[in-house]
Amino acid sequence: MSAEADLAYTELAFSECPSCPHRVEPEGAPPFCTLRPVSAGHPFAALAEWRLPK
């Protein structure tokens, strides 16, 4: 968990989403939001436990 909001790929669920500066519209993919709620887990937290074999 993070005490600060940071970036993630989340759905566009609010009426303000079409004009929000956090909205991203990639070419060839559906639009998404880059703002993550403070209480949400970091999207790459699972990778912190991953170890590459030597």
Side-chain angles (χ1 to χ4, degrees):
M1 296 301 201
S2 173
E4 301 294 328
D6 59 19
L7 302 179
Y9 304 111
T10 56
E11 66 178 322
L12 299 170
F14 302 99
S15 59
E16 299 88 353
C17 289
S19 61
C20 179
H22 299 109
R23 180 186 176 103
V24 175
E25 296 187 24
E27 189 173 318
F32 60 89
C33 179
T34 58
L35 185 65
R36 182 172 62 90
V38 171
S39 61
H42 193 280
F44 299 117
L47 295 177
E49 302 285 324
W50 194 55
R51 300 289 180 250
L52 291 172
K54 292 184 178 187

Short mmCIF file of all heavy atoms in Angstrom, two decimals:
data_model
loop_
_atom_site.label_atom_id
_atom_site.label_comp_id
_atom_site.label_asym_id
_atom_site.label_seq_id
_atom_site.Cartn_x
_atom_site.Cartn_y
_atom_site.Cartn_z
N MET A 1 0.83 -1.19 0.00
CA MET A 1 0.00 0.00 0.00
C MET A 1 0.88 1.25 0.00
O MET A 1 1.98 1.23 0.52
CB MET A 1 -0.90 0.02 1.22
CG MET A 1 -1.90 -1.10 1.25
SD MET A 1 -2.95 -1.03 -0.19
CE MET A 1 -4.32 -1.95 0.36
N SER A 2 0.35 2.28 -0.56
CA SER A 2 1.09 3.53 -0.67
C SER A 2 0.35 4.65 0.05
O SER A 2 -0.88 4.69 0.05
CB SER A 2 1.25 3.89 -2.15
OG SER A 2 1.81 5.15 -2.29
N ALA A 3 1.09 5.55 0.66
CA ALA A 3 0.48 6.70 1.30
C ALA A 3 0.19 7.79 0.28
O ALA A 3 -0.54 8.73 0.54
CB ALA A 3 1.41 7.25 2.38
N GLU A 4 0.78 7.69 -0.89
CA GLU A 4 0.62 8.69 -1.94
C GLU A 4 -0.08 8.09 -3.15
O GLU A 4 0.12 6.92 -3.47
CB GLU A 4 1.99 9.21 -2.38
CG GLU A 4 2.79 9.83 -1.26
CD GLU A 4 2.16 11.10 -0.72
OE1 GLU A 4 1.52 11.82 -1.49
OE2 GLU A 4 2.30 11.34 0.47
N ALA A 5 -0.86 8.90 -3.81
CA ALA A 5 -1.46 8.44 -5.07
C ALA A 5 -0.37 8.42 -6.14
O ALA A 5 0.51 9.27 -6.15
CB ALA A 5 -2.57 9.40 -5.49
N ASP A 6 -0.37 7.41 -6.98
CA ASP A 6 0.59 7.39 -8.09
C ASP A 6 -0.07 6.76 -9.30
O ASP A 6 -1.27 6.61 -9.34
CB ASP A 6 1.90 6.72 -7.70
CG ASP A 6 1.74 5.29 -7.24
OD1 ASP A 6 0.71 4.68 -7.55
OD2 ASP A 6 2.64 4.77 -6.59
N LEU A 7 0.71 6.40 -10.28
CA LEU A 7 0.15 6.00 -11.56
C LEU A 7 -0.24 4.53 -11.63
O LEU A 7 0.45 3.67 -11.11
CB LEU A 7 1.15 6.30 -12.67
CG LEU A 7 1.57 7.76 -12.78
CD1 LEU A 7 2.57 7.93 -13.90
CD2 LEU A 7 0.38 8.67 -13.00
N ALA A 8 -1.32 4.26 -12.31
CA ALA A 8 -1.77 2.90 -12.56
C ALA A 8 -2.78 2.94 -13.71
O ALA A 8 -3.19 4.01 -14.14
CB ALA A 8 -2.44 2.31 -11.33
N TYR A 9 -3.16 1.78 -14.16
CA TYR A 9 -4.15 1.70 -15.23
C TYR A 9 -5.50 1.37 -14.61
O TYR A 9 -5.72 0.26 -14.16
CB TYR A 9 -3.75 0.63 -16.23
CG TYR A 9 -2.38 0.85 -16.79
CD1 TYR A 9 -1.34 0.01 -16.47
CD2 TYR A 9 -2.14 1.93 -17.62
CE1 TYR A 9 -0.07 0.23 -16.98
CE2 TYR A 9 -0.88 2.16 -18.13
CZ TYR A 9 0.15 1.30 -17.81
OH TYR A 9 1.39 1.53 -18.30
N THR A 10 -6.38 2.35 -14.51
CA THR A 10 -7.69 2.13 -13.91
C THR A 10 -8.80 2.53 -14.87
O THR A 10 -8.58 3.27 -15.82
CB THR A 10 -7.83 2.91 -12.59
OG1 THR A 10 -7.57 4.30 -12.83
CG2 THR A 10 -6.83 2.43 -11.54
N GLU A 11 -9.99 2.03 -14.58
CA GLU A 11 -11.12 2.30 -15.47
C GLU A 11 -11.55 3.76 -15.42
O GLU A 11 -11.26 4.48 -14.48
CB GLU A 11 -12.29 1.41 -15.08
CG GLU A 11 -12.85 1.73 -13.71
CD GLU A 11 -14.04 0.87 -13.36
OE1 GLU A 11 -14.86 0.59 -14.25
OE2 GLU A 11 -14.16 0.50 -12.19
N LEU A 12 -12.26 4.17 -16.45
CA LEU A 12 -12.82 5.53 -16.53
C LEU A 12 -14.24 5.47 -16.02
O LEU A 12 -15.17 5.20 -16.77
CB LEU A 12 -12.75 6.03 -17.97
CG LEU A 12 -11.34 6.12 -18.55
CD1 LEU A 12 -11.41 6.38 -20.04
CD2 LEU A 12 -10.53 7.16 -17.85
N ALA A 13 -14.45 5.70 -14.72
CA ALA A 13 -15.75 5.47 -14.10
C ALA A 13 -16.47 6.74 -13.65
O ALA A 13 -17.53 6.65 -13.07
CB ALA A 13 -15.56 4.54 -12.91
N PHE A 14 -15.90 7.91 -13.91
CA PHE A 14 -16.50 9.14 -13.42
C PHE A 14 -16.92 10.04 -14.57
O PHE A 14 -16.34 9.99 -15.66
CB PHE A 14 -15.52 9.89 -12.51
CG PHE A 14 -15.08 9.06 -11.34
CD1 PHE A 14 -13.87 8.40 -11.38
CD2 PHE A 14 -15.88 8.93 -10.23
CE1 PHE A 14 -13.46 7.62 -10.30
CE2 PHE A 14 -15.49 8.16 -9.15
CZ PHE A 14 -14.27 7.49 -9.19
N SER A 15 -17.90 10.89 -14.32
CA SER A 15 -18.41 11.77 -15.38
C SER A 15 -17.34 12.78 -15.83
O SER A 15 -17.38 13.28 -16.95
CB SER A 15 -19.66 12.51 -14.90
OG SER A 15 -19.35 13.27 -13.74
N GLU A 16 -16.36 13.08 -14.97
CA GLU A 16 -15.28 14.01 -15.31
C GLU A 16 -14.22 13.39 -16.21
O GLU A 16 -13.35 14.08 -16.73
CB GLU A 16 -14.59 14.51 -14.03
CG GLU A 16 -15.49 15.26 -13.09
CD GLU A 16 -16.22 14.34 -12.10
OE1 GLU A 16 -16.13 13.10 -12.24
OE2 GLU A 16 -16.89 14.87 -11.21
N CYS A 17 -14.23 12.08 -16.37
CA CYS A 17 -13.16 11.37 -17.09
C CYS A 17 -12.88 11.88 -18.51
O CYS A 17 -11.71 11.97 -18.89
CB CYS A 17 -13.44 9.88 -17.11
SG CYS A 17 -13.24 9.09 -15.50
N PRO A 18 -13.88 12.22 -19.31
CA PRO A 18 -13.57 12.68 -20.67
C PRO A 18 -12.67 13.91 -20.75
O PRO A 18 -11.93 14.08 -21.70
CB PRO A 18 -14.94 12.95 -21.28
CG PRO A 18 -15.86 12.05 -20.54
CD PRO A 18 -15.32 12.04 -19.13
N SER A 19 -12.70 14.77 -19.72
CA SER A 19 -11.87 15.97 -19.76
C SER A 19 -10.75 15.97 -18.72
O SER A 19 -10.05 16.97 -18.56
CB SER A 19 -12.76 17.20 -19.55
OG SER A 19 -13.39 17.13 -18.28
N CYS A 20 -10.56 14.88 -18.03
CA CYS A 20 -9.56 14.80 -16.96
C CYS A 20 -8.13 14.74 -17.53
O CYS A 20 -7.89 14.05 -18.52
CB CYS A 20 -9.82 13.56 -16.12
SG CYS A 20 -8.64 13.33 -14.78
N PRO A 21 -7.16 15.42 -16.90
CA PRO A 21 -5.78 15.38 -17.39
C PRO A 21 -5.09 14.03 -17.15
O PRO A 21 -4.04 13.79 -17.71
CB PRO A 21 -5.08 16.50 -16.61
CG PRO A 21 -5.88 16.66 -15.37
CD PRO A 21 -7.30 16.34 -15.76
N HIS A 22 -5.69 13.15 -16.35
CA HIS A 22 -5.11 11.84 -16.10
C HIS A 22 -5.54 10.81 -17.13
O HIS A 22 -5.07 9.67 -17.11
CB HIS A 22 -5.48 11.35 -14.70
CG HIS A 22 -4.99 12.26 -13.62
ND1 HIS A 22 -5.84 13.04 -12.88
CD2 HIS A 22 -3.74 12.55 -13.20
CE1 HIS A 22 -5.13 13.75 -12.03
NE2 HIS A 22 -3.86 13.48 -12.20
N ARG A 23 -6.43 11.20 -18.04
CA ARG A 23 -6.93 10.29 -19.07
C ARG A 23 -5.86 10.12 -20.15
O ARG A 23 -5.25 11.08 -20.60
CB ARG A 23 -8.20 10.85 -19.69
CG ARG A 23 -8.79 9.98 -20.78
CD ARG A 23 -9.97 10.71 -21.43
NE ARG A 23 -10.50 9.98 -22.53
CZ ARG A 23 -11.61 9.26 -22.49
NH1 ARG A 23 -12.30 9.20 -21.38
NH2 ARG A 23 -12.04 8.61 -23.54
N VAL A 24 -5.64 8.88 -20.56
CA VAL A 24 -4.68 8.56 -21.62
C VAL A 24 -5.44 7.82 -22.72
O VAL A 24 -6.23 6.92 -22.43
CB VAL A 24 -3.53 7.68 -21.09
CG1 VAL A 24 -2.62 7.25 -22.20
CG2 VAL A 24 -2.76 8.43 -20.01
N GLU A 25 -5.22 8.22 -23.95
CA GLU A 25 -5.87 7.57 -25.09
C GLU A 25 -4.80 7.03 -26.02
O GLU A 25 -4.42 7.68 -27.00
CB GLU A 25 -6.78 8.56 -25.80
CG GLU A 25 -7.94 9.03 -24.94
CD GLU A 25 -8.93 9.89 -25.70
OE1 GLU A 25 -9.01 9.77 -26.93
OE2 GLU A 25 -9.63 10.67 -25.04
N PRO A 26 -4.29 5.82 -25.76
CA PRO A 26 -3.24 5.26 -26.61
C PRO A 26 -3.79 4.86 -27.98
O PRO A 26 -4.96 4.47 -28.10
CB PRO A 26 -2.77 4.03 -25.85
CG PRO A 26 -3.91 3.66 -24.97
CD PRO A 26 -4.65 4.93 -24.67
N GLU A 27 -2.96 4.95 -28.98
CA GLU A 27 -3.37 4.58 -30.33
C GLU A 27 -3.57 3.07 -30.41
O GLU A 27 -2.70 2.29 -30.01
CB GLU A 27 -2.29 5.00 -31.32
CG GLU A 27 -2.70 4.86 -32.77
CD GLU A 27 -1.67 5.43 -33.70
OE1 GLU A 27 -1.13 6.52 -33.40
OE2 GLU A 27 -1.40 4.78 -34.72
N GLY A 28 -4.74 2.65 -30.86
CA GLY A 28 -5.03 1.23 -31.02
C GLY A 28 -5.43 0.52 -29.74
O GLY A 28 -5.48 -0.71 -29.70
N ALA A 29 -5.72 1.25 -28.66
CA ALA A 29 -6.13 0.63 -27.39
C ALA A 29 -7.19 1.51 -26.74
O ALA A 29 -7.30 2.69 -27.06
CB ALA A 29 -4.94 0.48 -26.47
N PRO A 30 -7.98 0.95 -25.84
CA PRO A 30 -9.00 1.76 -25.18
C PRO A 30 -8.39 2.78 -24.23
O PRO A 30 -7.30 2.57 -23.69
CB PRO A 30 -9.84 0.73 -24.41
CG PRO A 30 -8.98 -0.46 -24.27
CD PRO A 30 -8.03 -0.45 -25.43
N PRO A 31 -9.06 3.91 -24.00
CA PRO A 31 -8.54 4.92 -23.07
C PRO A 31 -8.55 4.38 -21.64
O PRO A 31 -9.32 3.49 -21.30
CB PRO A 31 -9.51 6.09 -23.22
CG PRO A 31 -10.74 5.52 -23.79
CD PRO A 31 -10.33 4.32 -24.58
N PHE A 32 -7.67 4.93 -20.80
CA PHE A 32 -7.62 4.54 -19.40
C PHE A 32 -7.16 5.73 -18.56
O PHE A 32 -6.71 6.74 -19.07
CB PHE A 32 -6.70 3.33 -19.18
CG PHE A 32 -5.26 3.58 -19.61
CD1 PHE A 32 -4.33 4.11 -18.71
CD2 PHE A 32 -4.85 3.28 -20.90
CE1 PHE A 32 -3.02 4.33 -19.10
CE2 PHE A 32 -3.53 3.49 -21.28
CZ PHE A 32 -2.62 4.02 -20.39
N CYS A 33 -7.29 5.57 -17.25
CA CYS A 33 -6.90 6.61 -16.30
C CYS A 33 -5.55 6.24 -15.68
O CYS A 33 -5.29 5.07 -15.41
CB CYS A 33 -7.96 6.73 -15.21
SG CYS A 33 -7.55 7.96 -13.96
N THR A 34 -4.70 7.23 -15.44
CA THR A 34 -3.39 6.96 -14.85
C THR A 34 -3.31 7.34 -13.38
O THR A 34 -2.24 7.27 -12.78
CB THR A 34 -2.29 7.72 -15.61
OG1 THR A 34 -2.58 9.12 -15.57
CG2 THR A 34 -2.18 7.24 -17.04
N LEU A 35 -4.40 7.74 -12.77
CA LEU A 35 -4.39 8.12 -11.36
C LEU A 35 -4.87 6.95 -10.52
O LEU A 35 -5.94 6.39 -10.74
CB LEU A 35 -5.30 9.33 -11.14
CG LEU A 35 -5.29 9.89 -9.73
CD1 LEU A 35 -3.91 10.46 -9.39
CD2 LEU A 35 -6.34 10.98 -9.59
N ARG A 36 -4.07 6.54 -9.53
CA ARG A 36 -4.42 5.42 -8.65
C ARG A 36 -4.89 5.96 -7.30
O ARG A 36 -4.27 6.83 -6.73
CB ARG A 36 -3.20 4.53 -8.43
CG ARG A 36 -3.49 3.33 -7.57
CD ARG A 36 -2.33 2.37 -7.53
NE ARG A 36 -1.14 2.95 -6.98
CZ ARG A 36 -0.82 2.93 -5.68
NH1 ARG A 36 -1.62 2.37 -4.82
NH2 ARG A 36 0.30 3.48 -5.27
N PRO A 37 -6.01 5.43 -6.78
CA PRO A 37 -6.47 5.85 -5.45
C PRO A 37 -5.41 5.56 -4.39
O PRO A 37 -4.68 4.58 -4.48
CB PRO A 37 -7.72 4.99 -5.22
CG PRO A 37 -8.17 4.60 -6.58
CD PRO A 37 -6.92 4.48 -7.40
N VAL A 38 -5.33 6.39 -3.35
CA VAL A 38 -4.33 6.26 -2.30
C VAL A 38 -4.39 4.89 -1.63
O VAL A 38 -3.37 4.30 -1.30
CB VAL A 38 -4.51 7.39 -1.25
CG1 VAL A 38 -3.62 7.15 -0.05
CG2 VAL A 38 -4.18 8.73 -1.87
N SER A 39 -5.56 4.35 -1.42
CA SER A 39 -5.71 3.08 -0.70
C SER A 39 -5.42 1.84 -1.55
O SER A 39 -5.38 0.73 -1.04
CB SER A 39 -7.12 2.97 -0.13
OG SER A 39 -8.06 2.99 -1.18
N ALA A 40 -5.21 2.01 -2.83
CA ALA A 40 -4.99 0.87 -3.73
C ALA A 40 -3.54 0.39 -3.67
O ALA A 40 -2.62 1.17 -3.45
CB ALA A 40 -5.33 1.27 -5.16
N GLY A 41 -3.37 -0.90 -3.86
CA GLY A 41 -2.03 -1.45 -3.91
C GLY A 41 -1.31 -1.01 -5.18
O GLY A 41 -1.94 -0.68 -6.18
N HIS A 42 0.01 -0.96 -5.14
CA HIS A 42 0.78 -0.56 -6.31
C HIS A 42 0.62 -1.63 -7.40
O HIS A 42 0.66 -2.83 -7.11
CB HIS A 42 2.25 -0.39 -5.95
CG HIS A 42 3.03 0.30 -7.01
ND1 HIS A 42 3.48 -0.34 -8.13
CD2 HIS A 42 3.41 1.59 -7.14
CE1 HIS A 42 4.11 0.52 -8.91
NE2 HIS A 42 4.08 1.69 -8.32
N PRO A 43 0.44 -1.24 -8.65
CA PRO A 43 0.21 -2.22 -9.71
C PRO A 43 1.38 -3.17 -9.95
O PRO A 43 1.20 -4.25 -10.48
CB PRO A 43 -0.07 -1.36 -10.95
CG PRO A 43 0.51 -0.04 -10.64
CD PRO A 43 0.41 0.13 -9.15
N PHE A 44 2.58 -2.80 -9.55
CA PHE A 44 3.74 -3.67 -9.76
C PHE A 44 4.25 -4.29 -8.46
O PHE A 44 5.35 -4.83 -8.41
CB PHE A 44 4.86 -2.89 -10.44
CG PHE A 44 4.47 -2.38 -11.80
CD1 PHE A 44 4.42 -1.01 -12.03
CD2 PHE A 44 4.12 -3.23 -12.82
CE1 PHE A 44 4.04 -0.53 -13.28
CE2 PHE A 44 3.73 -2.76 -14.06
CZ PHE A 44 3.70 -1.40 -14.29
N ALA A 45 3.46 -4.24 -7.38
CA ALA A 45 3.89 -4.77 -6.09
C ALA A 45 4.23 -6.26 -6.17
O ALA A 45 5.16 -6.72 -5.52
CB ALA A 45 2.81 -4.53 -5.05
N ALA A 46 3.49 -7.01 -6.97
CA ALA A 46 3.75 -8.44 -7.08
C ALA A 46 5.14 -8.73 -7.64
O ALA A 46 5.75 -9.76 -7.33
CB ALA A 46 2.68 -9.10 -7.95
N LEU A 47 5.66 -7.82 -8.44
CA LEU A 47 6.99 -8.02 -9.03
C LEU A 47 8.11 -7.87 -8.01
O LEU A 47 9.22 -8.35 -8.23
CB LEU A 47 7.22 -7.05 -10.18
CG LEU A 47 6.29 -7.24 -11.38
CD1 LEU A 47 6.56 -6.16 -12.42
CD2 LEU A 47 6.46 -8.61 -11.99
N ALA A 48 7.86 -7.25 -6.87
CA ALA A 48 8.89 -7.04 -5.85
C ALA A 48 9.37 -8.37 -5.28
O ALA A 48 10.52 -8.49 -4.86
CB ALA A 48 8.35 -6.16 -4.74
N GLU A 49 8.53 -9.38 -5.27
CA GLU A 49 8.88 -10.70 -4.74
C GLU A 49 9.55 -11.60 -5.77
O GLU A 49 10.10 -12.63 -5.44
CB GLU A 49 7.61 -11.39 -4.22
CG GLU A 49 6.87 -10.61 -3.16
CD GLU A 49 7.58 -10.67 -1.82
OE1 GLU A 49 8.15 -11.74 -1.52
OE2 GLU A 49 7.55 -9.68 -1.10
N TRP A 50 9.49 -11.22 -7.02
CA TRP A 50 9.98 -12.06 -8.10
C TRP A 50 11.50 -12.03 -8.18
O TRP A 50 12.11 -10.97 -8.12
CB TRP A 50 9.36 -11.58 -9.41
CG TRP A 50 9.50 -12.54 -10.55
CD1 TRP A 50 9.12 -13.84 -10.58
CD2 TRP A 50 10.06 -12.24 -11.84
NE1 TRP A 50 9.38 -14.37 -11.80
CE2 TRP A 50 9.98 -13.42 -12.59
CE3 TRP A 50 10.62 -11.11 -12.39
CZ2 TRP A 50 10.44 -13.49 -13.90
CZ3 TRP A 50 11.07 -11.19 -13.69
CH2 TRP A 50 10.99 -12.36 -14.42
N ARG A 51 12.12 -13.19 -8.30
CA ARG A 51 13.58 -13.29 -8.39
C ARG A 51 13.96 -14.02 -9.68
O ARG A 51 13.41 -15.06 -9.99
CB ARG A 51 14.15 -14.05 -7.20
CG ARG A 51 13.84 -13.42 -5.86
CD ARG A 51 14.64 -12.14 -5.69
NE ARG A 51 14.36 -11.51 -4.42
CZ ARG A 51 13.71 -10.38 -4.25
NH1 ARG A 51 13.23 -9.74 -5.29
NH2 ARG A 51 13.50 -9.87 -3.08
N LEU A 52 14.90 -13.48 -10.41
CA LEU A 52 15.39 -14.11 -11.63
C LEU A 52 16.37 -15.22 -11.25
O LEU A 52 17.21 -15.04 -10.36
CB LEU A 52 16.09 -13.10 -12.51
CG LEU A 52 15.21 -12.03 -13.14
CD1 LEU A 52 16.07 -10.98 -13.83
CD2 LEU A 52 14.25 -12.65 -14.13
N PRO A 53 16.30 -16.35 -11.92
CA PRO A 53 17.28 -17.40 -11.67
C PRO A 53 18.66 -16.97 -12.16
O PRO A 53 18.79 -16.24 -13.14
CB PRO A 53 16.76 -18.60 -12.46
CG PRO A 53 15.79 -18.04 -13.44
CD PRO A 53 15.31 -16.73 -12.90
N LYS A 54 19.68 -17.41 -11.47
CA LYS A 54 21.05 -17.04 -11.85
C LYS A 54 21.59 -17.95 -12.93
O LYS A 54 21.26 -19.02 -13.14
CB LYS A 54 21.97 -17.10 -10.63
CG LYS A 54 21.63 -16.02 -9.66
CD LYS A 54 22.60 -16.03 -8.52
CE LYS A 54 22.26 -14.90 -7.58
NZ LYS A 54 23.22 -14.73 -6.54
#
